[in-house]
Amino acid sequence: MALNHFGGGPSDIVTDAEGNVVGGVQLRVYTAQDGGSRVTELYDFDGTPLSGVVVSDSSPGNIGRWSFQASDNYDQLFMDDGVSDRWVVPARETYTATRQALGLAGEAKTVAEAAKDTAEHALDEVNERLDTYGDLDIFSVAPQFATQLRIPSDLVLQSFDRDSRTGDYYVAQPRVITGSSTESTIIYRCSPAGAVMETMTFIGGGHGSAIAVERDGNDVYIWTWWVKNEGGGPTEGLCRVRWSAGQSIHMSDPLVQAMTRLDGENQTFAAIDEEADRIAIRSSAAGMEHYYLRRLSQFKLGYGEVLASLPGMSIGEYGPYQGHTSLDDYLYVARGGTGGFPPVIFRYEWATGAVDALDVSSAAVGFSGAAPGNYAELESMSVWRSGNGRPSLYFGLATGSYTFRQSMAFVFRTPDTDTPVTPALRSLNSSIQSGSVGIPGGNGTVTTKHVTFKWEFDGTPIVVLTPISSNPDIVESVTVANVTAQGFDAYMFRTSSAATPVSWFAYYGPGMNEHTPA
């Protein structure tokens, strides 16, 4: 049995009515001021059992002093000398624990105050950086071409966002895959130059109309509205998915965190501005859209406070919803570009609901003076900040005819970490294609092979063919015909039956007026 210590301090002595110390006084021990139980299992400080009472010391130098040990079930006990009222005696261990607790509390208070100061200082720094750049006015700066996202061209870009640390693009595209009864969302991780590096598939994930990227330490999370859990379990909802390259997952996978859902919500999409600790939520119910601005840190723990909201707008009004984001005092909503509606960015003031609109059709215009395929569908809105907090506002355009879609990223205010892309560089980026094709030999007859471009050109390009052979004498001729913006026919005359690889190069852009395509 563990014991607590009582008495033994400088003030723990017995005195008479005149204040004289008195030895040999028997003290009974109780558990309460009045009544209570008497405690008789008592011990000296050296562990020797006492006879049920505590006796004040009579030895010279210690006269009147008393001390004892009792079970550690007692934090305090009451002493009774049979004459005066009982007095309370706390255990020494209680004092020690209290002092330790006070010490720890003091330390915790110091740490908390330091953390508060640090947090307030960090917030001040963020606000100072944000204020440095002021509002980004999309009506006073022209959008600049950022990159071509080199995702498959047989389906349409739906949305993208950038990793706050690396600048990589995460791009969404829908596809019906084998074994799935609805659209699945394919997410491509692309380099800042637009090259595809990795993919991840959300089976039953839906159209991918709007995704958001969140960086949490070394992990990247994709926020998306998941349509159907084809793996079983609950269906539909806003999800936060930890990026795992190469994985094909269902909604019930451990990588997927289902976020809290409000009754009646549908097609809930998120847009994130990490440094500002903001998340803008778009949801729809009863044919109306609703937009809410919250703190990202709070939303991940639950919904949190609503910092701002905008009243419902009719779904499909001014064209189909194509994405949204929030920056500073404004909500930006991308609409149109299909169904007879022009591609327009609507800017709403969070505080007042005041709205204005910017048609971005001209951003898709190429060297020919028109968008490839005369098609420009607005896709996605997102905010990205450089390392110093300077914000840029992105949107996407899908151009080109069906199965020849190009996925273009544009930006209001080029990030200071990126090299601005001039119109000439943009033309080079989107107006050169190359490859190779194997043309079968004909044993002295002409053979042909059709080549389909991955992306549609703005107009009819120049095409150059080069046969690859270690026996050039047996390849009599290689020619090209039927050139269009979408492909060409390659012809070859060869005396043998062996197939010949032919490299090709196609260009449409500046300098075309110096040539006349055949």
Side-chain angles (χ1 to χ4, degrees):
M1 177 181 63
L3 300 174
N4 279 346
H5 295 72
F6 297 84
S11 61
D12 296 322
I13 57 175
V14 177
T15 62
D16 59 18
E18 286 75 31
N20 301 310
V21 295
V22 181
V25 177
Q26 292 189 348
L27 304 172
R28 294 173 178 81
V29 181
Y30 291 86
T31 60
Q33 179 77 50
D34 295 302
S37 301
R38 182 176 173 185
V39 179
T40 57
E41 190 175 0
L42 307 172
Y43 300 86
D44 199 331
F45 266 21
D46 62 6
T48 302
L50 301 177
S51 59
V53 295
V54 177
V55 181
S56 62
D57 201 327
S58 299
S59 62
N62 290 314
I63 191 169
R65 295 186 181 281
W66 60 268
S67 63
F68 66 96
Q69 293 187 87
S71 169
D72 64 356
N73 291 328
Y74 306 116
D75 293 328
Q76 64 179 16
L77 291 170
F78 295 83
M79 310 302 290
D80 188 339
D81 63 0
V83 178
S84 57
D85 293 337
R86 296 174 186 172
W87 69 90
V88 64
V89 181
R92 286 189 183 182
E93 287 73 13
T94 303
Y95 278 125
T96 302
T98 301
R99 284 196 298 269
Q100 290 175 343
L102 289 173
L104 291 174
E107 292 176 6
K109 180 181 179 182
T110 301
V111 171
E113 289 176 345
K116 179 182 178 182
D117 291 342
T118 301
E120 290 178 347
H121 180 65
L123 182 60
D124 290 342
E125 285 187 345
V126 169
N127 290 333
E128 183 178 349
R129 286 202 302 272
L130 299 184
D131 291 342
T132 298
Y133 304 111
D135 290 335
L136 173 56
D137 186 359
I138 64 174
F139 296 91
S140 63
V141 293
Q144 301 295 312
F145 175 74
T147 193
Q148 181 175 347
L149 302 166
R150 305 280 176 166
I151 62 175
S153 58
D154 59 334
L155 293 172
V156 182
L157 161 74
Q158 292 303 317
S159 57
F160 68 84
D161 200 0
R162 296 191 76 180
D163 183 339
S164 60
R165 181 183 300 177
T166 65
D168 292 341
Y169 292 86
Y170 288 79
V171 189
Q173 195 176 51
R175 187 176 296 275
V176 177
I177 62 176
T178 302
S180 175
S181 60
T182 189
E183 286 182 318
S184 294
T185 307
I186 313 297
I187 307 293
Y188 305 85
R189 183 172 75 90
C190 298
S191 70
V196 174
M197 298 185 290
E198 297 174 336
T199 64
M200 189 174 178
T201 303
F202 301 164
I203 299 173
H207 206 57
S209 299
I211 64 169
V213 173
E214 176 205 353
R215 166 67 72 165
D216 189 349
N218 291 324
D219 291 326
V220 169
Y221 289 86
I222 308 296
W223 293 66
T224 184
W225 172 260
W226 203 299
V227 173
K228 184 176 181 181
N229 186 5
E230 296 194 339
T235 62
E236 291 197 325
L238 180 62
C239 294
R240 179 177 180 257
V241 186
R242 182 164 60 85
W243 177 261
S244 182
Q247 296 292 309
S248 294
I249 62 173
H250 297 277
M251 188 178 176
S252 54
D253 191 276
L255 293 173
V256 180
Q257 176 189 359
M259 307 306 292
T260 304
R261 183 182 178 188
L262 293 178
D263 291 339
E265 277 190 336
N266 185 37
Q267 294 187 352
T268 301
F269 302 115
I272 291 173
D273 183 356
E274 286 185 62
E275 183 157 354
D277 192 29
R278 296 292 184 270
I279 183 168
I281 299 295
R282 180 263 193 193
S283 66
S284 62
M288 301 293 289
E289 292 180 334
H290 304 269
Y291 292 90
Y292 305 94
L293 185 65
R294 290 181 165 92
R295 299 185 189 279
L296 174 62
S297 55
Q298 291 181 352
F299 188 83
K300 289 194 295 183
L301 299 175
Y303 267 83
E305 65 177 316
V306 175
L307 303 176
S309 63
L310 286 172
M313 290 167 276
S314 175
I315 294 176
E317 188 178 3
Y318 309 116
Y321 164 84
Q322 303 286 16
H324 77 282
T325 195
S326 177
L327 175 61
D328 298 326
D329 300 323
Y330 297 98
L331 166 72
Y332 298 85
V333 182
R335 293 187 180 279
T338 186
F341 294 94
V344 174
I345 296 174
F346 289 86
R347 184 182 71 174
Y348 298 85
E349 189 172 22
W350 279 112
T352 66
V355 60
D356 42 27
L358 178 65
D359 188 322
V360 293
S361 302
S362 60
V365 173
F367 175 72
S368 65
N374 291 311
Y375 179 86
E377 182 177 353
L378 185 56
E379 305 285 359
S380 190
M381 293 289 300
S382 65
V383 169
W384 190 75
R385 295 182 185 273
S386 305
N388 59 7
R390 182 177 186 267
S392 298
L393 189 64
Y394 283 82
F395 68 92
L397 284 172
T399 66
S401 300
Y402 182 67
T403 75
F404 291 91
R405 302 301 194 202
Q406 296 183 45
S407 302
M408 303 292 189
F410 294 85
V411 62
F412 291 100
R413 187 156 64 192
T414 301
D416 50 13
T417 54
D418 292 358
T419 301
V421 180
T422 65
L425 287 176
R426 175 199 168 182
S427 179
L428 289 173
N429 186 72
S430 60
S431 297
I432 294 177
Q433 296 185 58
S434 62
S436 63
V437 60
I439 304 178
N443 286 322
T445 62
V446 176
T447 55
T448 184
K449 198 70 174 286
H450 182 73
V451 174
T452 300
F453 298 134
K454 184 174 184 179
W455 296 289
E456 185 174 25
F457 284 101
D458 291 356
T460 305
I462 294 172
V463 178
V464 178
L465 303 182
T466 303
I468 302 173
S469 176
S470 59
N471 297 308
D473 292 341
I474 64 174
V475 180
E476 300 295 336
S477 66
V478 176
T479 59
V480 61
N482 304 320
V483 180
T484 69
Q486 298 179 353
F488 63 89
D489 292 323
Y491 292 85
M492 183 183 71
F493 178 79
R494 182 171 181 172
T495 57
S496 77
S497 61
T500 300
V502 176
S503 297
W504 59 267
F505 175 89
Y507 171 73
Y508 183 86
M512 287 294 293
N513 59 337
E514 300 172 10
H515 307 277
T516 302

